[in-house]
Amino acid sequence: MSKALVVMAHGSRAAAANDEFRAQVEQLARRCPGFVAVVPCFLELASPSLNEAIQQLARQPVEQVFVYPMFFNGGKHVSRDIPAQVREAREGYPELKIELLDYLGSTPDLADLMARHVKEQTVS
């Protein structure tokens, strides 16, 4: 089954912040060769939206789409807004199997990554 990954960030009014996220998604794509596409999207304030990203993927040979929220905390966006957008996408694209993955902050390895990052900057 051909699969794609949609990585979602909040979105910002600052174009540089959105561009930084897009660059991160490009780096992630190089590390995830099992996907036919790895694309960015934004919850709000920037484009593409989740619906726009899935619309692009629907034109490709994709059968399954995984949505990965790049959010640190399980607040209202993670618990309510993103699941609502995923439900809408499922209704709009019934031919695609769309799955919502756990958000970034839920990984138990996040503290290890953060500690390594702090050490790299503070060890002299």
Side-chain angles (χ1 to χ4, degrees):
M1 179 177 285
S2 58
K3 57 186 181 176
L5 178 64
V6 177
V7 184
M8 179 185 278
H10 184 275
S12 174
R13 288 182 181 88
N18 297 327
D19 290 343
E20 181 179 10
F21 170 69
R22 288 183 185 100
Q24 290 168 337
V25 172
E26 286 179 21
Q27 291 177 29
L28 179 62
R30 289 192 287 276
R31 291 167 173 82
C32 294
F35 295 96
V36 295
V38 178
V39 297
C41 78
F42 299 94
L43 179 66
E44 56 189 18
L45 304 175
S47 15
S49 66
L50 176 61
N51 189 56
E52 291 167 337
I54 291 178
Q55 184 179 35
Q56 294 170 358
L57 292 171
R59 292 183 231 145
Q60 298 181 27
V62 172
E63 299 168 276
Q64 188 171 23
V65 177
F66 294 94
V67 179
Y68 183 54
M70 192 184 273
F71 285 70
F72 287 108
N73 306 94
K76 75 173 186 137
H77 289 321
V78 167
S79 64
R80 188 183 69 203
D81 299 337
I82 296 170
Q85 286 191 11
V86 169
R87 280 192 300 276
E88 289 175 20
R90 287 177 180 144
E91 291 170 6
Y93 299 92
E95 71 279 7
L96 295 175
K97 182 177 182 185
I98 301 173
E99 293 187 40
L100 178 58
L101 301 177
D102 288 337
Y103 65 100
L104 173 65
S106 68
T107 180
D109 299 332
L110 185 59
D112 293 335
L113 173 64
M114 292 167 57
R116 192 168 60 247
H117 191 225
V118 168
K119 286 177 188 175
E120 290 170 355
Q121 298 178 72
T122 59
V123 174
S124 49

